[in-house]
Amino acid sequence: MKGIFSALLVPFDENGTIKEQGLREMIRQNIDKQKVDGLYVNGSSGENFMMTTEQKKDVFRIASEENNGQVKLIAQVGSINLHEAVDLGKYATELGYDSLSAVTPFYYPFSFEEIKYYYETIINETNNKMIIYAIPALTGVSMSLHQFDDLFQNEKVIGVKFTDGNFYLLERLRKKYSNKLIYSGFDEMLIYGAISGVDGAIGSTFNINGKRAKQILSLCQEGNVSKAYDIQHVTNDLIEEILDLGLYQTLKEILKMTGIDAGVCKEPFEAFNPDKLEKVRKLVSTFDL
């Protein structure tokens, strides 16, 4: 369960319907071309929170079929609707996903006891492993070391996707929990997570930049931080350009230029501005696709 996991993108048509063949092509791109170690399915990058329950199940099924046991699969089942989270967790478990993951419940100011109950319910109902998804910038939920301690007492909680810039907390977690998996969640900060001893990383840009991410992680593990920084600098220059053009829209446009039916983003995301296509064409040549 260690290494680089792509946060899998999902292609949609203009009506918000999943383009199954395009999704299969994206999965093959990640496994065959980017050589990722695993896929994180139905996370933010897959526009999960704008999909119906049945669409989420379709993505889980298609990813499982196309992967066919080649790389590790993590199913993000988190939802503000606990019953949906449990339903999705059971479905992904039946499909053979290696672990579940769940974003902390959001929007309402849930207490830590309510958050703990949420995770324990999913675990107990599915009997599967769980990776906490901590992303306070989007959920508003910041957990302390003591609260992570509490969650980690459950042996089924095997780790955390740490999408947080609090590197002091990351260092404390790494030191105390050598037996838990810690994944870096910020692509542009991968090197700092790698230096801190993370087990891997999960990111959206790995769909097209997985090879560089693998290099950064490996070089840091080998102690060659200087060379890793060189690659992170290149990576961050590219990420800045992608963010300026629109993250998910641009990733899909890049994949389209390689022949993948990457579709469009779900509304209310805005459509990609065709006036920016020339900038995307220049970007394509900088990735090993």
Side-chain angles (χ1 to χ4, degrees):
M1 294 289 289
K2 298 182 179 183
I4 296 297
F5 284 66
S6 280
L8 184 64
L9 298 167
V10 175
F12 301 96
D13 67 17
E14 286 73 12
N15 297 315
T17 301
I18 296 167
K19 298 170 78 76
E20 179 170 341
Q21 183 55 36
L23 178 56
R24 292 181 182 275
E25 291 169 358
M26 284 182 171
I27 293 165
R28 294 261 54 90
Q29 148 74 16
N30 273 292
I31 297 172
D32 300 337
K33 300 291 182 63
Q34 296 306 310
K35 306 292 185 183
V36 297
D37 301 293
L39 298 172
Y40 189 83
V41 183
N42 276 340
S44 309
S45 302
E47 299 164 61
N48 169 77
F49 303 108
M50 294 185 286
M51 285 197 282
T52 66
T53 303
E54 288 309 309
Q55 284 183 314
K56 294 173 187 180
K57 288 183 176 181
D58 284 344
V59 173
F60 283 140
R61 173 185 56 80
I62 294 165
S64 177
E65 289 175 356
E66 191 62 39
N67 177 56
N68 195 27
Q70 289 182 267
V71 300
K72 297 294 185 180
L73 295 179
I74 301 172
Q76 198 293 124
V77 301
S79 170
I80 198 167
N81 181 334
L82 180 54
H83 295 289
E84 182 191 42
V86 168
D87 183 31
L88 292 171
K90 288 180 177 178
Y91 185 72
T93 300
E94 290 170 3
L95 289 172
Y97 274 68
D98 297 283
S99 178
L100 304 179
S101 182
V103 68
T104 50
F106 50 90
Y107 186 79
Y108 299 103
F110 295 105
S111 69
F112 176 70
E113 287 306 313
E114 290 168 330
I115 293 170
K116 182 180 177 182
Y117 174 79
Y118 162 91
Y119 282 117
E120 289 182 343
T121 300
I122 299 171
I123 292 167
N124 292 337
E125 291 290 331
T126 64
N127 196 34
N128 202 341
K129 299 183 287 292
M130 172 61 67
I131 296 167
I132 305 300
Y133 183 5
I135 182 167
L138 295 184
T139 62
V141 179
S142 294
M143 289 190 291
S144 66
L145 180 62
H146 175 72
Q147 289 169 334
F148 274 112
D149 282 341
D150 206 349
L151 293 175
F152 282 169
Q153 295 311 305
N154 189 322
E155 63 179 15
K156 290 283 189 180
V157 177
I158 63 171
V160 57
K161 180 186 177 189
F162 193 83
T163 311
D164 191 340
N166 185 344
F167 289 101
Y168 171 68
L169 177 58
L170 175 60
E171 181 271 334
R172 294 286 85 188
L173 286 170
R174 178 73 295 167
K175 181 177 185 292
K176 189 166 187 178
Y177 290 102
S178 60
N179 63 324
K180 300 291 185 181
L181 294 166
I182 300 179
Y183 300 97
S184 172
F186 278 129
D187 304 14
E188 63 273 32
M189 299 185 198
L190 172 55
I191 190 165
Y192 304 110
I195 292 170
S196 298
V198 296
D199 299 290
I202 299 168
S204 56
T205 62
F206 303 163
N207 285 269
I208 61 171
N209 200 45
K211 290 181 181 178
R212 283 195 182 97
K214 292 192 75 169
Q215 289 176 327
I216 291 168
L217 186 62
S218 295
L219 285 166
C220 286
Q221 290 171 343
E222 295 164 5
N224 194 343
V225 176
S226 177
K227 188 171 182 181
Y229 258 115
D230 290 339
I231 299 171
Q232 187 73 67
H233 292 324
V234 172
T235 293
N236 286 359
D237 287 343
L238 296 171
I239 288 175
E240 283 184 354
E241 292 188 60
I242 290 170
L243 290 174
D244 185 57
L245 294 169
L247 176 57
Y248 303 131
Q249 296 94 329
T250 304
L251 292 177
K252 289 181 178 183
E253 290 300 319
I254 289 172
L255 290 171
K256 282 181 191 177
M257 290 184 182
T258 70
I260 291 173
D261 187 6
V264 297
C265 292
K266 255 185 174 292
E267 294 180 334
F269 277 128
E270 64 181 359
F272 183 79
N273 184 347
D275 293 340
K276 299 177 179 179
L277 277 174
E278 188 55 40
K279 291 182 178 179
V280 175
R281 288 191 184 94
K282 291 178 181 178
L283 269 176
V284 170
S285 63
T286 64
F287 295 100
D288 188 357
L289 300 168

